[in-house]
């Protein structure tokens, strides 16, 4: 049986790259593990008057290159090892994107679909107040992730601000609402960055028989923030979004779906299922559809040893974190299907988080054009840096991305020296 523990997977990916890095064994051992794992068990008074106990985590993996940075996830499947994996992926992601942050991640074990707004707010406030000064504008900066959004970030800001008076606290969290120090282009940044990568991959000739996103057949697995906007941007670039899925199921329309209308449908009905003009598909089947570009945009462990042989995409672009397992990576590589790895493909989110943080510190608000222009440049540079390494050293792209990240993190650590 394949080991699907996300932290074991992160360590396997790391090991595949670490052997190419010239750094001391001790330093490489240190980077395998997070610096600090915080676990909090806390009570929350529910709407019906009962008290429920929730478990939350904040894992700080590494801050050699800058403050810890990473989202907070609300999901029933959150585990300590998942958050540890996600935190380490943030370290490598911020290094690949070349932004001055380290890596962290947070999570609360809960089912947001069964919580009222008031309950989510209480969970958020209690979680943040118990983290206390473990987070901070120059220490560790949370952001949105699965089932958290700008509203959640407003509560995080408010809670921190109420307990840390007399300083500019806007940069303590990113992905905030526009009216409260958020940045133009942040909500769509993960998807934008992912589509920029797909366009670069096509331009670089990596997608067999495809010369432009216009006319390409795209499949999106997961129709949340990253997936829905990725579908929208692909559609606007002339691609045909032939299928999309969410946790309730999938829809197929070989002539192409209109993502705008699909978003409206999902907002109204709670799922993509039942979209007029589409046929129903099993959630797992979307991954096996014949298409040009497959965008996994949901959770970890979607393309595994069990289905990698059946993937019929010409390119996989990982908008989600950790959707492909190491065994599946080997299969896809052998079959000549390039994967744009998560720590590159979804790096647009944290990149615009960085721009938001800079705007908050400088008390500025940039327009959308400026943000997008900067994001495009960052994505294009990171994409070619990764794929140049992949080509020159004959590595699969994920290992190439790790090599780039590890080089940057170990270099900075050596420059700083080990304290004391
Ligand atoms: N949760 C997002 C990610 O996995 C964004 C993190 C951030 O903006 O700090 O990259």
């Amino acid at each position: 049986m394949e080991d699907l523990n996300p932290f074991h997977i992160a360590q396997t990916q790391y090991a595949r790259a670490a052997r190419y890095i010239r750094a001391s064994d001790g330093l490489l051992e240190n980077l395998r593990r997070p610096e600090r794992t915080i676990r909090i068990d806390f009570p929350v008074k529910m709407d019906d008057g009962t008290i429920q106990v929730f478990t939350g985590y904040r894992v700080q993996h590494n801050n050699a290159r800058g403050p810890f940075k990473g989202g907070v996830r609300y999901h029933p499947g959150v585990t300590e090892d998942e958050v540890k994996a996600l935190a380490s992926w943030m370290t490598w992601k911020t290094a690949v994107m070349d932004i001055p942050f380290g890596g962290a991640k947070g999570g609360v074990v809960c089912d947001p679909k069964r919580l009222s707004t008031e309950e989510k707010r209480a969970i958020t406030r209690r979680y943040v107040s118990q983290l206390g000064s473990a987070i901070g504008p120059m220490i560790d900066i949370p952001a949105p992730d699965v089932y958290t959004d700008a509203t959640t970030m407003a509560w995080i800001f408010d809670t921190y601000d109420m307990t840390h008076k007399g300083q500019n606290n806007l940069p303590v969290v990113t992905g905030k609402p526009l009216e409260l120090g958020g940045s133009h282009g942040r909500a769509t940044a993960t998807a934008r960055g992912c589509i920029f990568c797909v366009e670069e991959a096509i331009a670089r000739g990596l997608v067999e028989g495809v010369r432009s996103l216009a006319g390409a057949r795209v499949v999106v697995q997961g129709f949340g923030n990253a997936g829905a906007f990725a579908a929208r941007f692909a559609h606007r670039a002339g691609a045909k979004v032939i299928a999309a899925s969410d946790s309730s199921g999938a829809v197929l329309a070989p002539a192409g779906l209109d993502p705008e209308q699909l978003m409206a449908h999902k907002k109204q009905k709670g799922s993509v299922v039942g979209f007029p003009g589409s046929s129903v598909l099993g959630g797992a089947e979307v991954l096996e559809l014949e298409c040009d570009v497959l965008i996994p945009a949901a959770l970890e462990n979607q393309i595994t040893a069990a289905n990698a042989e059946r993937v019929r995409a010409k390119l996989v672009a990982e908008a989600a974190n950790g959707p492909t397992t190491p065994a599946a990576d080997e299969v896809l590589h052998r079959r000549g299907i390039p994967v744009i790895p998560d720590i590159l493909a979804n790096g647009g989110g944290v990149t615009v988080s960085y721009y938001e943080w800079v705007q908050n510190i400088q008390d500025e608000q940039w327009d959308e054009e400026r943000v997008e222009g900067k994001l495009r440049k960052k994505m294009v540079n990171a994409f070619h840096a990764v794929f140049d390494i992949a080509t020159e050293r004959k590595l699969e792209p994920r290992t190439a991305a790790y090599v780039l990240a590890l080089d940057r993190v170990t270099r900075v650590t050596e420059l700083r020296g080990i304290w004391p």
Side-chain angles (χ1 to χ4, degrees):
M1 274 301 272
E2 193 177 7
D3 180 358
L4 296 180
N5 176 306
F7 189 51
H8 297 169
I9 287 175
Q11 292 194 322
T12 301
Q13 295 168 341
Y14 176 84
R16 283 182 180 177
R19 58 187 155 149
Y20 299 104
I21 304 300
R22 256 174 308 196
S24 76
D25 290 347
L27 178 53
L28 290 172
E29 173 58 28
N30 184 237
L31 292 172
R32 285 181 71 224
R33 339 177 192 176
E35 177 177 315
R36 188 177 180 201
T37 300
I38 303 168
R39 176 190 162 130
I40 308 160
D41 290 277
F42 55 95
V44 170
K45 190 135 175 210
M46 308 303 279
D47 291 349
D48 65 4
T50 60
I51 292 168
Q52 251 183 57
V53 184
F54 291 89
T55 300
Y57 300 97
R58 184 74 185 169
V59 175
Q60 298 172 330
H61 178 260
N62 185 274
N63 63 352
R65 298 180 65 263
F68 296 110
K69 183 84 189 84
V72 180
R73 164 176 301 202
Y74 290 175
H75 195 273
V78 165
T79 62
E80 182 174 319
D81 273 356
E82 182 193 40
V83 185
K84 279 159 90 173
L86 290 160
S88 56
W89 288 330
M90 287 307 303
T91 299
W92 313 130
K93 191 184 302 183
T94 52
V96 165
M97 296 312 303
D98 203 13
I99 54 176
F101 284 138
K105 200 77 166 203
V108 176
V109 190
C110 63
D111 188 353
K113 288 186 181 164
R114 290 154 169 259
L115 295 168
S116 69
T117 303
E118 221 20 75
E119 289 166 340
K120 276 188 271 188
R121 193 158 76 116
I123 289 170
T124 306
R125 286 196 180 287
R126 183 72 192 228
Y127 169 71
V128 171
S129 67
Q130 285 200 226
L131 285 177
S133 295
I135 63 167
M138 299 297 149
I139 296 170
D140 181 356
I141 303 127
D145 196 74
V146 174
Y147 290 127
T148 58
D149 58 14
T151 304
T152 326
M153 300 308 115
W155 298 329
I156 293 180
F157 164 73
D158 186 70
T159 307
Y160 187 87
D161 194 50
M162 285 299 155
T163 48
H164 297 78
K165 288 283 179 201
Q167 57 184 46
N168 171 17
N169 288 318
L170 281 178
V172 73
V173 59
T174 58
K176 299 180 293 295
L178 261 185
E179 311 86 303
L180 189 62
S183 175
H184 285 288
R186 174 60 187 88
T188 53
T190 307
R192 266 262 188 258
C194 181
I195 297 301
F196 286 152
C197 283
V198 170
E199 286 173 334
E200 289 310 301
I202 293 171
R204 214 179 148 119
L206 296 172
V207 195
E208 211 191 305
V210 178
R211 287 216 177 73
S212 153
L213 196 49
R217 294 157 308 158
V218 175
V219 169
V220 178
Q221 187 240 1
F223 210 69
N225 177 267
F229 284 120
R232 184 203 270 187
F233 295 137
H235 178 77
R236 283 191 191 162
K240 265 199 284 189
V241 180
I242 60 169
S245 72
D246 59 27
S247 56
S248 308
V251 288
L252 172 72
L257 299 153
D258 180 341
E260 222 78 49
Q261 285 173 18
L262 188 57
M263 278 164 107
H265 175 86
K266 181 168 166 115
K267 203 168 174 195
Q268 209 186 24
K269 307 270 165 133
S271 166
V272 293
V273 176
F275 184 62
S278 72
S279 51
V280 188
L281 257 189
E285 287 169 72
V286 281
L287 298 166
E288 300 170 16
L289 287 172
E290 197 193 326
C291 63
D292 297 309
V293 184
L294 171 61
I295 304 182
L299 295 166
E300 301 92 69
N301 299 336
Q302 304 300 310
I303 306 176
T304 66
N307 63 1
E309 291 288 357
R310 294 196 298 273
V311 169
R312 286 183 294 160
K314 294 179 184 162
L315 173 74
V316 176
E318 298 183 333
N321 288 310
T324 311
T325 65
D329 266 335
E330 280 172 20
V331 174
L332 296 179
H333 187 57
R334 169 171 48 74
R335 295 182 54 214
I337 301 172
V339 176
I340 310 176
D342 48 7
I343 56 174
L344 168 64
N346 71 33
V350 72
T351 299
V352 176
S353 275
Y354 166 56
Y355 299 148
E356 179 174 331
W357 183 76
V358 171
Q359 290 170 73
N360 291 158
I361 290 170
Q362 300 181 340
D363 196 17
E364 284 182 10
Q365 191 153 50
W366 305 345
D367 59 30
E368 180 143 15
E369 249 170 41
R370 178 159 177 202
V371 173
E372 286 226 341
K374 288 172 83 78
L375 173 64
R376 179 190 284 271
K377 216 167 161 185
K378 270 283 189 210
M379 293 304 311
V380 170
N381 286 345
F383 181 89
H384 292 289
V386 167
F387 279 84
D388 284 350
I389 294 175
T391 310
E392 281 158 22
R393 298 164 83 162
K394 298 195 171 46
L395 298 173
E396 43 102 7
R398 188 183 318 279
T399 302
Y402 268 81
V403 165
L404 177 63
L406 266 160
D407 262 335
R408 287 179 173 162
V409 176
T410 51
R411 173 81 186 126
V412 164
T413 311
E414 282 160 4
L415 283 169
R416 294 176 65 146
I418 303 289
W419 177 264

